Amino acid sequence: MKRPTIDSKDYRDAMARYAGHVQIATTVHEGVRRGVTVTAACSVSDNPGTLLVCLNHSNPLNELFIQSGIFALNSLMAVHQPLAVAFSGLDHLDVDARFALAKWDTITTGAPTLVGAMAVFDCRLIEARPVATHTIMIGEVIGIRIGEPGPALLYMDRGYHTV
């Protein structure tokens, strides 16, 4: 039986219409830091606090998230757009230059957490599952910081917006 398929370009074009809160997923393992701009993240449960983040597994550096067993999800505000660009790799900055653009600390796990983020979810990785081009990471939230309210940074129609 032949399964129906869709064109991947059409899928990407349709998903571009889907607004996503811009976040930076971060981790550290054996002194090596990693941070990636993401929009594919959401809540799974509030009891216990659990969320998921999707990372492209074609980048071998993202394996650090699995090796570390920890990660933080840092929700960005409008003022953090330069960070979103830097951690997306568009500026071609090395990891130290990316992290030097802002102030970072830690909450519980030791993963880098953005000072001034709208919200930070510090997680223990409880499952990682490859699906197509991405790895779905599920994390139990074991630390949290709620920042000051302000305009959120969104990504839609292949550009940044605020709300």
Side-chain angles (χ1 to χ4, degrees):
M1 181 164 140
K2 185 177 179 183
R3 293 177 19 192
T5 60
I6 59 169
D7 180 75
S8 59
K9 181 187 178 310
D10 289 344
Y11 178 80
R12 287 189 306 275
D13 289 345
M15 287 304 294
R17 303 290 172 92
Y18 186 84
H21 193 162
V22 181
Q23 303 177 75
I24 297 175
T26 56
T27 194
V28 64
H29 182 60
E30 297 179 350
V32 178
R33 294 181 295 180
R34 176 84 176 132
V36 180
T37 301
V38 300
T39 55
C42 68
S43 174
V44 174
S45 174
D46 68 349
N47 190 16
T50 309
L51 56 79
L52 70 79
V53 177
C54 299
L55 293 179
N56 191 319
H57 58 240
S58 67
N59 186 331
L61 297 176
N62 288 340
E63 182 63 27
L64 198 65
F65 285 90
I66 310 306
Q67 293 169 351
S68 72
I70 60 169
F71 67 92
L73 188 63
N74 303 273
S75 300
L76 302 186
M77 298 177 67
V79 298
H80 297 127
Q81 184 174 333
L83 284 177
V85 172
F87 280 87
S88 73
L90 292 176
D91 285 351
H92 304 289
L93 299 175
D94 67 29
V95 67
D96 291 331
R98 292 175 188 188
F99 278 100
L101 294 173
K103 184 175 179 186
W104 302 86
D105 63 7
T106 61
I107 298 174
T108 305
T109 67
T113 57
L114 177 62
V115 174
M118 181 171 276
V120 177
F121 304 90
D122 198 11
C123 301
R124 179 179 58 86
L125 182 67
I126 58 176
E127 185 174 349
R129 179 178 306 249
V131 176
T133 58
H134 284 64
T135 297
I136 300 170
M137 296 190 316
I138 299 175
E140 179 181 0
V141 180
I142 59 174
I144 197 163
R145 180 170 55 221
I146 301 172
E148 295 296 320
L153 183 63
L154 302 180
Y155 195 77
M156 187 178 87
D157 288 333
R158 295 184 174 91
Y160 294 103
H161 304 275
T162 62
V163 63

